[in-house]
Amino acid sequence: MATRLGLGLPQMRQYDLGKDVPDVARAAERTGYESLWVFERALFPEPATQGLYGIEGLPWPDAYRHVADPLVTLTLAAAATERALLGTSVLVAPLHVPFQLAKALASLDAASGGRVVAGFGTGWSLDEYAAASVRPFEERGRVLDELIEVCRAVWGPDPVVYDGRLTKIASAVVGPKPARPIPILLAASGPRARRRLVDHADGWLPVGMGADAVAAQWRELRELAEERGRTEPIRTVLRINAQVRAEAYDGDGRRPFQGSVDQIVEDLAAHAEIGLDEVLLDLQGSARDAEELKDVAAEVYEKARAAGI
């Protein structure tokens, strides 16, 4: 069976949010993409007090200076499409009040006819936590645990009752409800995060940094699931942040998913062999505008399907 393909929606500075998001979403659905995705970057610290991903000295991409709100972007896409799933890869969960996020996602799912996929992570930016988090950075794992529990409660039957550290719902009717159970996927890399995924989530959101590395992580996650007695399948959506160039990159120093469309598809084929359910292609960073993004997305899709992906 062919790997499902999704596309990252335009959120960066070079795009017109109100015009380009619906336009790209409609075009992607017509092309055949089965899902549409957003990511979250709350701010761009200047000067940076911390490197990218918390790695000292690693600069933040200039594109992160302007990233549109993920839920606003998804709502625009929902109104312009009929079939494509609407996913977050990822929302930085501790930057959101759990109850309000649960209600917003439920409303979007109800409005879109049951198309939301909720992808959560804990993030890494101390500056984002200082500006927006509901609890300190050191408590990010506990906040994510509670957010998952609150979502399950709010999306479940009334009356909703929940007693947590951040959220207390004595007994209440909370609507609208999702059109169907919203799947929760987690971006889990460390041991504690993987246990949380296996015990409490529906799926996994890895990042494509090389087929061998992703395959090893997937094997370890399945082994952990077996150890902990999980019988439900783990849904998988691989995020690929691609940098597409008209010319091919030569030599052995080329990183995965950088180069010509043909090279991107070649890397995509190697990752598809891992056996994951879905691949999310985020192509927006190297496109000059929405027209180029649509053209490149269509070319990648057509060549991927022609290659049997």
Side-chain angles (χ1 to χ4, degrees):
M1 189 175 81
T3 303
R4 293 196 299 271
L5 294 178
L7 183 69
L9 289 166
Q11 296 174 259
M12 296 177 179
R13 184 194 302 271
Q14 67 267 42
Y15 303 106
D16 181 321
L17 186 65
K19 171 179 172 289
D20 291 343
V21 171
D23 186 30
V24 170
R26 281 190 293 265
E29 190 174 68
R30 285 196 302 267
T31 296
Y33 283 98
E34 296 170 270
S35 55
L36 302 166
W37 297 81
V38 292
F39 74 104
E40 182 163 40
R41 266 292 58 84
L43 49 73
F44 186 99
E46 195 170 47
T49 57
Q50 178 190 32
L52 184 70
Y53 309 130
I55 300 172
E56 186 176 356
L58 188 63
W60 289 49
D62 192 63
Y64 283 0
R65 291 179 180 273
H66 179 112
V67 178
D69 179 85
L71 294 185
V72 171
T73 304
L74 268 193
T75 301
L76 290 167
T81 55
E82 298 177 354
R83 301 178 305 278
L85 297 178
L86 306 162
T88 61
S89 179
V90 296
L91 292 179
V92 183
L95 305 186
H96 298 265
V97 176
F99 179 85
Q100 291 175 315
L101 180 59
K103 177 146 181 143
L105 290 170
S107 298
L108 181 57
D109 192 74
S112 65
R115 293 191 280 147
V116 171
V117 179
F120 299 145
T122 55
W124 46 267
S125 170
L126 298 177
D127 294 281
E128 289 183 338
Y129 270 78
S133 69
V134 296
R135 294 297 299 167
F137 182 78
E138 293 75 19
E139 298 180 27
R140 60 195 183 280
R142 280 185 284 178
V143 174
L144 178 54
D145 288 336
E146 178 160 326
L147 188 143
I148 293 171
E149 292 176 353
V150 170
C151 284
R152 303 285 196 207
V154 167
W155 300 341
D158 293 321
V160 176
V161 177
Y162 185 82
D163 185 14
R165 296 174 66 247
L166 297 170
T167 309
K168 297 186 183 298
I169 309 170
S171 180
V173 174
V174 183
K177 299 296 184 185
R180 91 304 188 218
I182 298 175
I184 293 177
L185 281 61
L186 300 180
S189 55
R192 184 177 299 178
R194 289 178 183 174
R195 288 194 297 272
R196 177 186 296 115
L197 188 160
V198 167
D199 293 345
H200 302 296
D202 300 295
W204 180 45
L205 294 168
V207 176
M209 295 183 292
D212 291 343
V214 175
Q217 292 176 1
W218 179 221
R219 183 172 55 253
E220 291 169 3
L221 188 61
R222 285 179 293 169
E223 290 172 352
L224 178 63
E226 185 176 357
E227 290 173 8
R228 299 183 74 81
R230 177 176 177 135
T231 57
E232 300 87 356
I234 296 175
R235 181 172 178 173
T236 52
V237 181
L238 174 70
R239 164 175 274 278
I240 290 171
N241 299 312
Q243 294 291 320
V244 181
R245 297 289 183 264
E247 71 282 0
Y249 277 79
D250 297 322
D252 297 330
R254 183 180 72 88
R255 290 187 292 175
F257 302 107
Q258 289 194 353
S260 66
V261 167
D262 288 339
Q263 288 177 324
I264 299 298
V265 172
E266 181 182 324
D267 293 333
L268 181 58
H271 283 70
E273 290 179 0
I274 300 169
L276 304 180
D277 299 317
E278 185 169 353
V279 174
L280 147 63
L281 288 160
D282 197 325
L283 305 166
Q284 65 177 305
S286 55
R288 288 167 295 186
D289 53 31
E291 290 303 314
E292 184 176 357
L293 175 57
K294 290 188 295 182
D295 289 345
V296 172
E299 185 179 1
V300 171
Y301 183 90
E302 290 163 6
K303 289 188 173 182
R305 291 309 189 207
I309 300 171

PDB file of all heavy atoms in Angstrom, residues 58 230 238 248:
ATOM      1  N   LEU A  58      24.109  26.902  17.662  1.00  0.00           N
ATOM      2  CA  LEU A  58      23.368  26.596  16.438  1.00  0.00           C
ATOM      3  C   LEU A  58      22.356  27.704  16.177  1.00  0.00           C
ATOM      4  O   LEU A  58      21.446  27.916  16.977  1.00  0.00           O
ATOM      5  CB  LEU A  58      22.665  25.250  16.569  1.00  0.00           C
ATOM      6  CG  LEU A  58      21.996  24.695  15.303  1.00  0.00           C
ATOM      7  CD1 LEU A  58      23.025  24.438  14.222  1.00  0.00           C
ATOM      8  CD2 LEU A  58      21.226  23.408  15.614  1.00  0.00           C
ATOM      9  N   ARG A 230       1.456  -2.941  25.185  1.00  0.00           N
ATOM     10  CA  ARG A 230       0.533  -2.218  24.310  1.00  0.00           C
ATOM     11  C   ARG A 230       0.130  -3.124  23.159  1.00  0.00           C
ATOM     12  O   ARG A 230       0.977  -3.722  22.486  1.00  0.00           O
ATOM     13  CB  ARG A 230       1.185  -0.943  23.775  1.00  0.00           C
ATOM     14  CG  ARG A 230       0.274  -0.198  22.797  1.00  0.00           C
ATOM     15  CD  ARG A 230       0.867   1.114  22.346  1.00  0.00           C
ATOM     16  NE  ARG A 230       0.000   1.765  21.359  1.00  0.00           N
ATOM     17  CZ  ARG A 230      -0.318   3.050  21.367  1.00  0.00           C
ATOM     18  NH1 ARG A 230       0.139   3.827  22.328  1.00  0.00           N
ATOM     19  NH2 ARG A 230      -1.084   3.554  20.417  1.00  0.00           N
ATOM     20  N   LEU A 238       5.758  10.875   9.640  1.00  0.00           N
ATOM     21  CA  LEU A 238       7.133  11.361   9.565  1.00  0.00           C
ATOM     22  C   LEU A 238       7.157  12.764   8.991  1.00  0.00           C
ATOM     23  O   LEU A 238       6.649  13.012   7.894  1.00  0.00           O
ATOM     24  CB  LEU A 238       7.958  10.425   8.672  1.00  0.00           C
ATOM     25  CG  LEU A 238       9.394  10.846   8.367  1.00  0.00           C
ATOM     26  CD1 LEU A 238      10.256  10.744   9.616  1.00  0.00           C
ATOM     27  CD2 LEU A 238       9.972  10.013   7.242  1.00  0.00           C
ATOM     28  N   ALA A 248      20.805  19.989  -8.645  1.00  0.00           N
ATOM     29  CA  ALA A 248      21.092  18.888  -7.723  1.00  0.00           C
ATOM     30  C   ALA A 248      22.319  19.219  -6.889  1.00  0.00           C
ATOM     31  O   ALA A 248      23.223  19.926  -7.328  1.00  0.00           O
ATOM     32  CB  ALA A 248      21.316  17.598  -8.503  1.00  0.00           C
TER      33      ALA A 248
END
